[in-house]
Amino acid sequence: MTDLVKFGLDGLVDVLKAAGEPTRLRLLALLAAGDLTVTDLTEILGQSQPRISRHLKLLGEAGLIDRYQEGAWAYFRLKQEGKAVILVRTLLRHAAENDPILLRDGERLAAVKRIRAERAQAYFSRNAAEWDELRRLHVADEDVDKALIELIGPQQIDSFLDLGTGTGRMLQLLAGHYRRAVGIDASRDMLAVARANLDRSNITAASVRHGDIFNLPLEAQDFDLITIHQVLHFLDQPEIAINEAARMLRPGGRLVIIDLAPHGLEYLRDEHAHLRLGFSHQTISEWLKMAGLDVEQVLDLHSGREGGQALTVTIWLARDPRLLIAAEQDRQSSPVLAGRA
């Protein structure tokens, strides 16, 4: 059972003031269900853009919602952690499920998400043939997924980051393993697909954002698991992306890279924008070490297909050693433990 979160009088009044207004409470209920824009919210609530923006500003100042820019659009969502948010979620749980206003908001939210899903599906359909062709060349997704889950183990993940998230497959695959997650991608079209997939799977612990893999719009040392899945071969300087990922890891955090082993399919450069024709164990391992990470395991997954068209997928697992180093230093500084060594 979650421990009761307690506030000082002023703090409690501030949260209740921010949430204790009908429109703002409706906004909080909607933003607890995922990312929405001001346009989405005006359509759902039937209120003017300036009015919605003013309420969002107040909720942001109270530390209850996150705002992040994606091109010309700004997305909002309920914060995923913090004392104030725990209190707000408790308030929302006490709202009657059959309240007519909240029911109507829910119906309009479903309509907004349905339109979002249709647009995403249209983009996905235009590119599906290309993705299907690439999938036929290498290991089945199911085999990669199984190997990844076995590799990371059963331990609960507090914060998960997926770089180059694409359709959000990793966010869906590991749902239930993490407390919160963020997916980053440079393609707004792909982010639309990912959002639709998260909506369809009813995953609210994960969000996706537009961002540059070389300069991430996130706090450093904030994640204990990061994945880079089939992304590095599109990059001109993949080692810089690895360095940036390492910067995001907490001490003791893990980075998993999934990509293609070296191959000779030159047509992938022109037809599918691959800048690198796979990576050797040595290359990625050296980049990981240069980023200050310890390589713990390297796993090759073979497609089982005959001929030169078959591609091998490699998984690298590396860890930030700072937590282990600190533990060893503590052990050596303890007279009792040092005496046992």
Side-chain angles (χ1 to χ4, degrees):
M1 181 177 179
T2 304
D3 291 336
L4 181 65
V5 176
K6 296 188 177 182
F7 290 79
L9 182 60
D10 290 343
L12 181 60
V13 169
D14 288 343
V15 175
L16 293 176
K17 279 183 178 179
E21 191 278 337
T23 295
R24 291 200 287 276
L25 196 58
R26 292 167 69 188
L27 287 169
L28 290 169
L30 291 167
L31 295 175
D35 302 354
L36 294 168
T37 66
V38 172
T39 300
D40 294 332
L41 294 167
T42 57
E43 290 179 7
I44 294 169
L45 271 65
Q47 299 183 18
S48 68
Q49 185 269 335
R51 179 177 172 82
I52 295 296
S53 295
R54 181 171 62 84
H55 283 306
L56 291 171
K57 183 173 184 293
L58 291 172
L59 292 173
E61 289 173 348
L64 297 178
I65 62 173
D66 283 322
R67 177 190 186 279
Y68 50 94
Q69 200 73 26
E70 189 173 302
W73 296 95
Y75 281 88
F76 299 84
R77 71 177 285 127
L78 185 68
K79 279 185 175 292
Q80 292 184 308
E81 53 191 354
K83 288 171 57 177
V85 175
I86 293 173
L87 177 56
V88 165
R89 290 190 183 276
T90 301
L91 293 173
L92 292 174
R93 283 198 298 271
H94 283 78
E97 295 179 357
N98 60 350
D99 180 89
I101 294 176
L102 294 179
L103 284 174
R104 186 170 66 248
D105 287 350
E107 291 169 356
R108 291 175 176 172
L109 173 62
V112 166
K113 288 189 173 184
R114 185 164 58 250
I115 293 170
R116 176 191 290 179
E118 290 170 355
R119 290 173 179 166
Q121 184 59 45
Y123 169 79
F124 188 85
S125 297
R126 290 195 301 270
N127 295 273
E130 174 183 327
W131 294 329
D132 286 343
E133 179 186 345
L134 289 176
R135 285 195 189 100
R136 285 194 293 268
L137 292 176
H138 57 68
V139 183
D141 290 338
E142 295 78 9
D143 294 338
V144 177
D145 295 347
K146 180 181 178 183
L148 173 61
I149 290 174
E150 290 179 353
L151 203 61
I152 64 175
Q155 67 189 80
Q156 184 68 18
I157 301 162
D158 181 63
S159 54
F160 169 48
L161 174 61
D162 183 35
L163 298 179
T165 196
T167 62
R169 277 195 70 253
M170 292 295 102
L171 299 175
Q172 296 175 80
L173 174 68
L174 298 180
H177 292 259
Y178 55 76
R179 185 179 63 83
R180 66 179 179 93
V182 178
I184 298 290
D185 205 281
S187 167
R188 294 187 178 91
D189 287 324
M190 293 305 293
L191 289 174
V193 174
R195 284 196 182 94
N197 287 337
L198 293 176
D199 288 343
R200 189 179 301 112
S201 301
N202 196 31
I203 297 172
T204 58
S207 63
V208 294
R209 301 185 190 179
H210 182 261
D212 180 356
I213 197 171
F214 299 118
N215 185 21
L216 294 168
L218 302 166
E219 290 292 328
Q221 300 186 41
D222 197 30
F223 298 92
D224 52 10
L225 178 68
I226 299 176
T227 55
I228 309 178
H229 179 250
Q230 298 291 8
V231 172
L232 294 184
H233 58 256
F234 291 109
L235 305 180
D236 185 45
Q237 295 179 295
E239 68 276 17
I240 297 179
I242 291 175
N243 274 324
E244 183 69 353
R247 190 173 70 86
M248 295 293 112
L249 282 176
R250 293 172 176 170
R254 295 176 294 169
L255 171 61
V256 178
I257 295 173
I258 304 171
D259 219 296
L260 301 176
H263 63 85
L265 303 185
E266 287 286 345
Y267 79 94
L268 293 180
R269 294 189 195 273
D270 298 326
E271 296 183 20
H272 299 287
H274 287 208
L275 295 180
R276 303 290 186 111
L277 297 183
F279 302 93
S280 68
H281 290 195
Q282 180 180 356
T283 296
I284 296 290
S285 295
E286 287 179 354
W287 286 340
L288 288 167
K289 290 174 183 176
M290 289 172 60
L293 305 181
D294 290 344
V295 180
E296 291 193 342
Q297 193 167 346
V298 182
L299 177 65
D300 285 327
L301 301 175
H302 303 285
S303 67
R305 296 177 177 86
E306 300 292 335
Q309 292 292 302
L311 297 175
T312 295
V313 172
T314 304
I315 304 178
W316 291 263
L317 173 65
R319 187 183 296 271
D320 185 318
R322 287 175 296 171
L323 193 63
L324 301 176
I325 292 172
E328 177 62 20
Q329 290 174 340
D330 289 343
R331 190 189 71 80
Q332 292 181 358
S333 64
S334 169
V336 174
L337 294 178
R340 292 177 182 173

